[in-house]
């Protein structure tokens, strides 16, 4: 129940295409869902986040879609660029779990020019 | 400081030696986390601090690993008698309670 399942493990997308990464969770106590972006040699950085009372959040080319009934959420990267090549982690947050983030396993995204 | 800092950025040590990794969180952040990331892998939770206390040490892989935090600020992760399987990037993150985490750049540990 504490897990967040992320897929795919790796993804190759052509420049200009749409990158889609999916995550699923079981615990309905999760109430905050961030996505982190990690470039090689760097720590993860917060990219975008959503709360379950919202079905979609968009920031520039990045969109989170949230399906509360299915307990799934996804990251869409529109007009994907080579600079988007990175590892993406989804996470879920429970306020009663010492404020720990429960992490997905990560998706390595490669954007081909 | 402006962000989370970690030192050293790289550490090469011989098997059996002890190492200390340091994390300076963002000023005012009460929560501090240590994670371990092996090459190409996800984040493995090690320990969580709220202030100077560690309510969750469940992720520490063995009794060779310990951590402390002083003054509600700087934290040190100590690995005793290092083994080759300890080689990884050790990441520190801090946050205000109930908010998202900011990560440092990590310390790359190589045990020969």
């Amino acid at each position: 129940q504490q897990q967040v399942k992320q897929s795919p493990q790796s993804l190759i997308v052509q420049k200009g295409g749409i990158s889609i990464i999916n995550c699923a969770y079981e615990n309905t106590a999760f109430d905050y869902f961030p996505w982190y972006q990690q470039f090689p040699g760097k720590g993860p950085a917060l990219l975008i986040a959503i709360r379950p009372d919202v079905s979609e959040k968009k920031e520039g080319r990045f969109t989170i879609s949230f399906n509360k009934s299915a307990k799934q959420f996804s990251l869409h990267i529109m007009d994907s660029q080579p600079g988007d090549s990175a590892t993406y982690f989804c996470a879920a947050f429970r306020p009663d779990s010492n404020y720990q983030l429960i992490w997905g396993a990560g998706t390595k995204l490669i954007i081909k020019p | 400081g402006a962000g989370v800092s970690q030192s050293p950025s790289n550490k090469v040590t011989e098997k059996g030696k002890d190492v200390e990794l340091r994390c300076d969180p963002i000023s005012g952040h009460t929560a501090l986390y240590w994670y371990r990331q092996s090459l190409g892998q996800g984040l493995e939770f090690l320990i969580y601090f709220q202030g100077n206390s560690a309510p969750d040490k469940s992720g520490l892989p063995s009794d060779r690993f310990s951590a402390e935090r002083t003054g509600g600020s700087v934290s040190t992760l100590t690995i005793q008698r290092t083994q080759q399987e300890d080689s990884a990037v050790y990441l520190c993150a801090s946050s205000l309670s109930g908010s998202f985490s900011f990560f440092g750049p990590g310390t790359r540990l190589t045990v020969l």
Side-chain angles (χ1 to χ4, degrees):
Chain A
Q1 274 219 326
Q2 283 286 80
Q3 286 186 328
V4 175
K5 295 182 180 179
Q6 183 172 348
S7 63
Q9 188 175 15
S10 62
L11 180 62
I12 299 174
V13 175
Q14 291 289 336
K15 179 183 175 182
I18 302 173
S19 304
I20 302 174
I21 304 170
N22 300 298
C23 285
Y25 64 98
E26 288 295 324
N27 194 330
T28 56
F30 292 143
D31 73 347
Y32 175 71
F33 301 88
W35 285 89
Y36 282 77
Q37 180 188 55
Q38 185 179 29
F39 293 107
K42 305 288 186 183
L46 180 68
L47 183 64
I48 187 173
I50 197 168
R51 295 203 180 273
D53 54 347
V54 177
S55 62
E56 184 176 282
K57 183 174 181 180
K58 184 175 181 180
E59 290 185 3
R61 296 183 294 108
F62 299 89
T63 300
I64 299 179
S65 297
F66 190 85
N67 186 329
K68 188 173 182 178
S69 60
K71 291 185 280 189
Q72 295 175 347
F73 57 109
S74 60
L75 176 69
H76 292 63
I77 306 174
M78 313 300 287
D79 187 26
S80 300
Q81 299 297 310
D84 298 329
S85 297
T87 299
Y88 292 80
F89 293 95
C90 64
F93 173 91
R94 262 181 63 184
D96 60 342
S97 66
N98 294 320
Y99 304 107
Q100 284 186 49
L101 284 170
I102 309 300
W103 295 87
T107 296
K108 185 173 183 179
L109 174 64
I110 297 173
I111 307 301
K112 284 196 161 184
Chain B
V4 179
S5 60
Q6 292 186 246
S7 60
S9 56
N10 280 284
K11 177 71 177 178
V12 180
T13 190
E14 294 181 346
K15 178 181 174 181
K17 300 282 190 182
D18 298 352
V19 295
E20 282 190 354
L21 312 180
R22 177 186 168 107
C23 172
D24 282 89
I26 293 173
S27 178
H29 279 192
T30 54
L32 186 147
Y33 308 83
W34 283 98
Y35 294 89
R36 180 168 70 175
Q37 187 174 34
S38 299
L39 186 64
Q41 300 299 310
L43 296 164
E44 177 187 2
F45 168 78
L46 297 179
I47 189 169
Y48 156 73
F49 286 93
Q50 180 61 36
N52 290 338
S53 64
D56 191 344
K57 305 179 183 179
S58 62
L60 294 177
S62 76
D63 59 8
R64 295 186 297 105
F65 288 72
S66 63
E68 65 175 12
R69 189 178 185 195
T70 56
S73 181
V74 172
S75 177
T76 302
L77 177 69
T78 301
I79 308 173
Q80 296 179 309
R81 305 182 301 281
T82 52
Q83 303 294 311
Q84 289 183 331
E85 61 262 29
D86 300 334
S87 296
V89 174
Y90 289 82
L91 290 161
C92 174
S94 72
S95 72
L96 292 170
S97 290
S99 183
F100 48 79
S101 297
F102 292 85
F103 280 83
T107 293
R108 181 175 298 277
L109 175 66
T110 303
V111 182
L112 301 177

